[in-house]
Each structure stands twice: as structure tokens, then as C-alpha cells.
Amino acid sequence: MVEAEVHDLKVGTPPLQVLILRDSKDENVGPVADAIVRAFQGSADATGYIATGPGVGVTPEVFEPEFLDPELVDQERLHDTSLVGRVGKKLDAACHTLVIVLIGQRLHETIHDRESPFLRDWLSDCWSHVDQSDDRHRMLVFPRDESMAERFSRLPGLQYLQVWPLDKFDEYALRATMVALMALHHARLLLALPLEDSNPSRGRPQGNLRFFISHAKLDALPLAQALRAQIERIPWLDKFYDADDLLPGSNWRRELEKGVASSLIIVLRTDIYDTRYWCQQEITWADQYSTPAVLVDVRTALNNESSALPFTRLPVARVPDGNLMRILSIALREGVKYLLFKRRAEEMRRSGILPPNTELKVFSYPPSMRALLHACRSLVTSKHAATAKQVILYPDPPLPEAEHEAALALIAKFAPNVTLTTLQTLATSA
Amino acid sequence: MTYRLLQGCYVGISVSESETSSRRGFPPAQVNRATFDIAAALVGQGARVVFGHDWRPDGIMEAVCRIALLTTPEILTGRPEDAHTIENLLPWPPGEEYLEEKDLDRLNAIVRIKQLDLPEGLSEFQRADIGKGPFKDYLRARGLTHLRRALDEHTHARVCFGGKTRNYQGRYPGIFEEAYFTVLSRKPIYLAGSFGGATAELIGAVMGKPMPEALENESHRMREIYRSYADRERGADTSGDRVVNPKVIWSTFQELGLSGLSELNRLSEKENLALFESLVLERTINLILAGVGRLSRASRDRDSRE
């Protein structure tokens, strides 16, 4: 069989794939696997603490251990793209791969089966590849409890792989959610590290994400403080996520503009939010600078007046039940979505679908007219305007026809050399 | 033009679980999700997607209808001709779609559903009470072939993923027959190896491999049934459809080869190999979009010259 040389194909390498290994008959890890799948691909199921809604655009692949047994696989079959014997090729098929192993009783027994070492060997090969990947890939292992974790860590070739026993993850009811958040967090780190603008220079670790909380102090302080406390009580979250107030003035505007990939705005929309000058400015600038953002609607009235503020593009969380994890899951998801989209755009440039000198303006959501206007003005005055192909990219599906025509008219007037398009439109025209 | 580049293009989607799709990381729920992703990508670019999938409680059609709910062109453009981004053809016998009348009515604004009959040569059995047994199996298989002919007539291109190679109801595995008719019509076909199954077998044929004995063995039962009942059907023009010979399909794809496939689907040989081998759904979708996009451009160029 001729191996395809995919590197010179003009299709780009997908930025991220998520692989989950679990035994479906292990009942206590089933909810954890489900929570991870829902965190990435979205769900309408409101059970648990993970937010509903669309996912980040990554469909996790879920594997059973028996399918890693080489005796079950015909290696002579053409195009058998299973994981057996080709774990490196599978992991390297994307820019980054996040491998998640959920160990319940059955998987634990299979791993330690003396007669049949296939799963131990596979895990060792996988970890070896991940370990040598220079942080390109990650492997997260979640044994059911500490004693399983200890036995796992004594396996040859796996001693240096960090494991997280599930029984250390807070209350039982929260464990699936916490693991799913950790998976989103690690996915975000994988995507963020190669990007310069995702690494703020404040003595914080690479990949740090700043949650800027936009709120009216008169009635949102308790919620803002509770959210900050929620982040601080989770050690792995606290190390990487700051929750700061947005300070009045223009300093944070520049910081937002420079550090879009390392910033996310959480808007606490209380009853008086819309009437406060600085709140209006913050949400307007977030729209203008295309900063990822999440809206937490905590207004108490049963009906509200319409608003001219740009809330429509934001994912919305409500917390009548006090579930602040819902806010965190949406926020992390938005952070991952933004980075995924930005990396896909970079891959388009790297693979030649976009010329190398393309100047890109990337939106992780369908842009408003205000945001488009700001982008046009920014591109027209850019130092590369005369020499670079300039493209505004936003996610699929393409805008509805009327909005698309309006956007084209705006661009034709303010930045006639700029192209507005989506990634799949670029793929279709490749 | 940089907007909805596939307008006017009807793409048939032949996607289903295979015996190995779970091993490849795609258990049934993920197959549904992947079907959604593929269909959404095509519809987002203005194409119409055509399925010959019945409404079993496996979720695929429900998942796909969500796409139409997310992108409702008629509402957005006000043009009735933009409705029905999804078309669904159903094989004989009717009434086995597992959807109630009210659900079908509700979906009618989004999905154009067309119930097909048996081929004309079997019309006398259309409403007969046949009961279970080999003759019913024959009629069902003929109904499926008739469906697949209609799917081919109705589409400009076909995308194939997965597909069973055993325990199928037609004279051949569904994806085999759908792909075969597409190639006979000299229409573009995209073979994605991610889910394995019947599509992976066809990839093997394209690459010149001999037909596995298992495929031949699986066809014995239907061959016997067809021998028993084929002469009960009238009509010389369906005589080719009343014979079971998987070698014909295999040799068609062998003769097509990689270069023939590339000529049909406008992907380079390297791109087709990448599609065969792609381990990541996103790349698979982008390759399909690239191929269909080139076809669409070529068609528009031809039309503008005429």
C-alpha cells in the first residue's frame, strides 16, 4: 500500500483530536466518559453539572480495550486504521492529541492480566510517544481509586506518567464534571502553547487564561466573589486561571487587543448591568475586539426591555441552582473554541490554502457589523496592508444570505481588498 | 464567488456503522455525530444532502434533521425553492420507518421524504400480503435496489463511510450497491476509510486487491433467493438487477483504480489516498469539500461557457 504523504496536501492538519479509552462495562467510569464527550461535542442533556449547548467542534473517539488486542485485528487488511500497532501514526494525525484513559475494575483487570499484556504494551507505547512528543500530545489517566493508581504507576514504562485517582476529585457527584473540565483545560493548554499571544508575560505559566469578570459592583459583587472563590479552590484551575475585575479605563482594552487568546470575559448581567456606563463599554469593546466571552444572565425580572448592547453572539449561562461549574464549563469551552479556530486558521496558512503572507483576522463566532467594521479599519491601517492578502475568518456555517450581503457591502466600502470567508468555504474552494 | 459554493449540488450520503467502526473509535452514537458533521458541512456550503436511510431508532436521521433546523434557508431567504436541505428516499415496504405520521408531518418542512414503490415489474405485489419468508426477502431486496437506483438518479455525487458487510437485507451490502451505481453513472464518489466496513472493502478493490472470500460467501443466501424468484418479475430492463454477483462490483472498482477514481471525483491520487487513510474526521470532511467544490466549479464554468 502506498502511504500518502499528507504533509504537502492542501487540507491542513486538524488541530486537536481527543481519544478516550474505557471499558463500557465499567459502570463507575461511564458517567465520566459521557461528561467528557459532552464537554467537547456538546449536548442537550441538562443532567450533571456540565453546561448544555453546542460543543467545541471536536468529536471524541471512544475505544474499548478489546479493540486494541492485535489478535482481533487483521494486520493484512488494507486501510485498517485502528489503533493497534500504529498508535504513533494515530496520535500524529492531528497537531495535538489528548488521550484519556478511564480505569474502572474491568480495565484494571485487563491491564494487569498476566496472560495477555496487549493493553499494558499499548499504554506503554502510547505514553512513550506522548512523552517524546515535546508537549505536542498529552495523556491523562484516571484510575478509579488510589490503590489502582498505585498499581498502575508501578507498571514498566508507565512510572513517570502522572495519574489522577477519581476518588480525589471532590464529591462523587462532581467527579465527572471535574474530570471533564480538566480535559477541556488540557486541551486548551495543548492548543495555546504554540501561540505567542496566548502567553501573557506576568509571571504566570504558559497557557494562562485570564477571566475578566465584567459586572456592576452595586449588585454583582457576591456572585463575582463566589466565582473567583470557585476557581481558587480548584488547584489545577487556580494555577492557570486568573479571575480579575475589569478596571475602568483603557489599559485593559489594550491588553485585550494584544492578548485575545489568553483572555476571556465573563459578563455577569445583573438587573442594573445594562445601565452602567463602564459595563456598556466593556461589553461593546469585547465585541469590537472579538474577545471570547460568556454571558451569565442573573437578572431577576420576569420581563426585560430590549437592549442595544451586543449580547446576541454570547453563549448564555443561568445559575438559578447556584451551579457555578456551569459557568466554568462554558468559559473553558469558549476558550477552547477560540483556540481551535485560530489554530485551524493557522493550519490553512501553513498548508498553503491561504498564502503564507496572509494577514488574518480571526473571529470565533459570526462577527457583528461593529466587529467587522473594527476589523476592516484595523486591516486597512495595518503595515502589511499593501503587500499581504487580508482575510477575515469566522466559523461555519456561513452567515445567512442577508447578513452576508450586508457584511460584503460593509467590507466593500471600508476595506475593499479584504476577503470574508469561513474555513469550510476555503476547503471547498481548495 | 465565496459563498455557498455548492448551491445546486445534490450529494448522496451513504454512512452507517460497520462491524469495525467501534474499534476505530466510532461507536453508534459517534457514527451519528460524524454523519451530522459531514451533512452539516455540505449543507453549510449550500449543497442538498440525500439519504436512503430509514427511520430506525438508531438516531441517524434525527441527528441529521437537526442540521436543517440549524440552517433553515427558506426562513432566511424567503425563497421556497431553498427549503428542504435534506431529502430522504424510503424503500418499499412502507410503514417500517418507525416514525409516526405526526412526526413525518412535522419534519416535512425540513426534509423532503419520498416513499418509493417496488420496481414496475413487481407492481402486482406492491400491496399484497406476502408474510415473512424468502419471497418477502426477495421483494425487500428488489425494493432496496430500486431505491439505490433512484438515489443515483437524484444525486450528483456520493460520499461513503463504513457500512455493514454481513447480515444485510439487499442483494449486496448497501454501500456496495450505492457506490456501484454511482460509478456506473460515471459520477464522483468519495470513499472515506475512517469507519472501515464496506467502504474499506471498496477501497481495497480500487487498490487492486482480490475480493475477500467472506464477501463471496455472504452473498450465497441472496443468490439462492434470487435464483428462485427472479423470473417472477417482468421487464427486461431490470434483468441486470436480478442477478447476484459481487464479483461484478469488485471488478468494476478494480478496473476503475485510483486514477479512474481521481478522474471522477476531482481529488488527486494523493488526496484520495489521504481520504482512504484519514484518521481524523475533520480532514476527511475537508477533503470531501475540496472534491465536491472542484466539481461544482467545473460545472459552473461549463454552464457559463454554454
Side-chain angles (χ1 to χ4, degrees):
Chain A
M1 181 179 72
V2 176
E3 291 287 332
E5 292 294 331
V6 298
H7 305 294
D8 58 350
L9 292 178
K10 289 191 172 183
V11 286
T13 302
L16 177 70
Q17 62 177 340
V18 178
L19 312 178
I20 302 172
L21 172 63
R22 58 90 181 93
D23 191 317
S24 58
K25 295 186 182 66
D26 276 329
E27 288 177 358
N28 48 9
V29 301
V32 180
D34 289 344
I36 297 169
V37 168
R38 281 164 47 203
F40 281 94
Q41 74 179 34
S43 170
D45 181 358
T47 57
Y49 290 85
I50 293 285
T52 57
V56 303
V58 172
T59 302
E61 296 176 37
V62 187
F63 293 88
E64 295 274 357
E66 69 224 43
F67 295 141
L68 303 178
D69 187 346
E71 288 181 13
L72 291 183
V73 174
D74 180 0
Q75 289 290 347
E76 295 304 311
R77 285 165 64 91
L78 259 183
H79 308 292
D80 188 326
T81 54
S82 68
L83 285 177
V84 180
R86 307 163 66 142
V87 62
K89 186 175 178 187
K90 173 64 172 172
L91 266 58
D92 291 345
C95 295
H96 305 285
T97 298
L98 181 62
V99 181
I100 300 170
V101 183
L102 303 171
I103 305 177
Q105 185 62 38
R106 284 181 60 101
L107 197 69
H108 173 78
E109 287 166 5
T110 309
I111 290 171
H112 296 283
D113 183 347
R114 288 184 187 178
E115 304 296 318
S116 184
F118 75 90
L119 189 52
R120 281 198 297 286
D121 292 343
W122 186 88
L123 288 166
S124 176
D125 287 345
C126 186
W127 169 235
S128 171
H129 194 84
V130 168
D131 192 32
Q132 289 165 34
S133 71
D134 198 21
D135 282 336
R136 176 179 169 184
H137 308 308
R138 291 205 177 190
M139 187 167 174
L140 307 178
V141 179
F142 299 95
R144 186 190 64 192
D145 52 49
E146 206 159 350
S147 109
M148 274 188 194
E150 224 173 299
R151 272 196 79 186
F152 184 89
S153 296
R154 283 190 248 124
L155 290 168
L158 295 168
Q159 303 95 322
Y160 300 108
L161 170 56
Q162 188 178 5
V163 299
W164 284 274
L166 287 173
D167 61 357
K168 297 294 181 197
F169 273 87
D170 215 314
E171 302 270 351
Y172 178 80
L174 272 175
R175 276 177 207 161
T177 302
M178 296 299 283
V179 172
L181 289 184
M182 181 180 261
L184 279 175
H185 159 66
H186 280 278
R188 208 192 67 75
L189 288 183
L190 281 174
L191 293 166
L193 293 181
L195 292 173
E196 283 183 7
D197 64 349
S198 74
N199 295 304
S201 53
R202 280 198 333 161
R204 297 296 281 167
Q206 276 193 311
N208 179 237
L209 179 68
R210 296 181 69 186
F211 292 141
F212 288 110
I213 302 180
S214 170
H215 64 286
K217 286 200 185 323
L218 281 179
D219 64 355
L221 266 180
L223 181 55
Q225 288 166 350
L227 191 55
R228 212 172 284 122
Q230 177 72 68
I231 294 168
E232 286 166 6
R233 72 181 275 270
I234 304 170
W236 53 266
L237 210 59
D238 178 49
K239 184 179 171 195
F240 282 93
Y241 299 90
D242 294 320
D244 293 337
D245 285 354
L246 277 170
L247 299 173
S250 62
N251 288 346
W252 67 266
R253 273 183 69 185
R254 277 199 289 277
E255 203 159 343
L256 272 189
E257 196 166 20
K258 280 190 305 195
V260 167
S262 60
S263 310
L264 188 140
I265 293 184
I266 299 178
V267 175
L268 303 182
R269 192 181 184 188
T270 47
D271 290 329
I272 65 167
Y273 182 94
D274 289 27
T275 65
R276 308 302 291 174
Y277 173 76
W278 281 112
C279 293
Q280 292 168 4
Q281 288 298 302
E282 287 159 10
I283 187 67
T284 303
W285 287 333
D287 183 53
Q288 196 170 301
Y289 293 112
S290 58
T291 308
V294 169
L295 174 64
V296 184
D297 194 342
V298 288
R299 293 173 294 173
T300 58
L302 292 177
N303 53 277
N304 298 283
E305 290 183 10
S306 62
S307 172
L309 294 176
F311 290 118
T312 50
R313 60 114 171 162
L314 303 183
V316 182
R318 290 190 171 83
V319 288
D321 51 2
N323 176 13
L324 300 183
M325 302 297 261
R326 186 176 302 123
I327 302 174
L328 287 180
S329 68
I330 294 183
L332 273 173
R333 206 187 262 168
E334 287 301 302
V336 172
K337 269 170 66 176
Y338 176 82
L339 289 172
L340 263 174
F341 193 72
K342 183 139 187 181
R343 291 293 302 275
R344 284 192 179 109
E346 289 301 319
E347 272 300 303
M348 286 277 176
R349 182 166 30 203
R350 194 193 61 76
S351 67
I353 295 177
L354 290 169
N357 67 338
T358 302
E359 187 173 10
L360 279 173
K361 180 67 181 169
V362 173
F363 290 91
S364 60
Y365 54 88
S368 65
M369 290 300 125
R370 175 188 292 109
L372 268 181
L373 181 59
H374 179 79
C376 285
R377 285 179 172 153
S378 167
L379 286 168
V380 157
T381 56
S382 147
K383 60 185 177 187
H384 305 293
T387 52
K389 180 176 167 66
Q390 296 181 310
V391 174
I392 297 175
L393 265 181
Y394 67 97
D396 288 280
L399 290 169
E401 192 171 339
E403 281 83 341
H404 186 254
E405 292 296 321
L408 289 185
L410 185 152
I411 290 170
K413 181 174 163 106
F414 290 98
N417 294 326
V418 169
T419 301
L420 176 72
T421 189
T422 69
L423 290 180
Q424 283 179 348
T425 304
L426 284 174
T428 308
S429 50
Chain B
M1 181 180 166
T2 57
Y3 183 70
R4 294 174 58 129
L5 298 166
L6 303 183
Q7 277 182 5
C9 191
Y10 286 74
V11 182
I13 299 189
S14 302
V15 180
S16 65
E17 269 181 81
S18 73
E19 290 85 8
T20 58
S21 48
S22 288
R23 182 194 307 155
R24 293 158 189 270
F26 292 96
Q30 299 306 90
V31 169
N32 292 349
R33 177 64 197 215
T35 307
F36 172 93
D37 289 343
I38 297 155
L42 288 164
V43 167
Q45 292 301 311
R48 299 284 189 270
V49 293
V50 183
F51 290 88
H53 196 88
D54 63 28
W55 292 78
R56 278 166 265 160
D58 60 358
I60 282 190
M61 286 310 293
E62 278 87 350
V64 167
C65 283
R66 280 169 48 214
I67 304 161
L69 289 171
L70 290 174
T71 57
T72 46
E74 187 196 357
I75 290 171
L76 299 168
T77 68
R79 294 198 293 255
E81 62 266 29
D82 284 347
H84 299 134
T85 48
I86 298 170
E87 306 213 0
N88 181 217
L89 305 184
L90 295 172
W92 184 90
E96 294 191 2
E97 59 268 20
Y98 299 102
L99 267 190
E100 294 178 11
E101 201 65 40
K102 62 178 172 58
D103 292 322
L104 285 172
D105 283 342
R106 177 174 58 85
L107 290 166
N108 206 34
I110 308 161
V111 185
R112 194 197 314 270
I113 300 174
K114 186 177 176 187
Q115 173 68 58
L116 297 181
D117 293 329
L118 283 170
E120 201 177 316
L122 291 168
S123 56
E124 65 188 281
F125 302 108
Q126 183 70 28
R127 284 166 188 78
D129 184 8
I130 308 290
K132 290 183 183 173
F135 184 54
K136 181 72 177 281
D137 293 345
Y138 173 75
L139 290 177
R140 191 191 310 272
R142 289 294 295 117
L144 285 169
T145 297
H146 187 58
L147 164 77
R148 289 159 190 162
R149 288 267 184 215
L151 286 171
D152 178 55
E153 283 165 26
H154 210 61
T155 52
H156 298 111
R158 178 155 300 280
V159 174
C160 295
F161 278 76
K164 293 199 291 189
T165 55
R166 299 194 294 268
N167 302 320
Y168 44 87
Q169 291 186 322
R171 65 171 173 155
Y172 301 125
I175 284 183
F176 266 38
E177 196 166 42
E178 287 165 17
Y180 175 57
F181 290 151
T182 303
V183 169
L184 285 185
S185 300
R186 302 295 299 167
K187 287 179 181 171
I189 184 164
Y190 301 90
L191 301 174
S194 325
F195 295 176
T199 306
E201 297 291 355
L202 290 174
I203 290 169
V206 165
M207 298 303 287
K209 283 274 182 173
M211 188 172 90
E213 268 185 43
L215 287 177
E216 177 74 35
N217 295 340
E218 277 295 319
S219 69
H220 283 166
R221 178 179 164 267
M222 288 313 282
R223 189 176 294 130
E224 290 308 309
I225 289 176
Y226 270 61
R227 279 195 189 127
S228 301
Y229 299 111
D231 58 3
R232 292 176 78 167
E233 183 173 345
R234 301 184 306 275
D237 55 339
T238 60
S239 57
D241 289 349
R242 288 183 261 145
V243 174
V244 177
N245 187 358
K247 286 187 178 135
V248 169
I249 297 184
W250 197 266
S251 62
T252 299
F253 280 85
Q254 277 183 321
E255 282 161 21
L256 180 70
L258 188 57
S259 63
L261 182 68
S262 298
E263 205 181 302
L264 277 185
N265 68 15
R266 301 292 178 116
L267 291 178
S268 68
E269 291 188 13
K270 272 190 184 173
E271 287 168 335
N272 269 305
L273 286 171
L275 188 59
F276 295 167
E277 298 175 9
S278 178
L279 302 173
V280 185
L281 186 62
E282 190 177 319
R283 165 170 282 160
T284 299
I285 291 174
N286 285 346
L287 283 164
I288 292 167
L289 286 175
V292 182
R294 290 169 199 165
L295 288 164
S296 191
R297 279 198 297 285
S299 172
R300 282 200 304 274
D301 289 345
R302 263 200 311 277
D303 290 345
S304 66
R305 281 198 298 274
E306 285 162 14

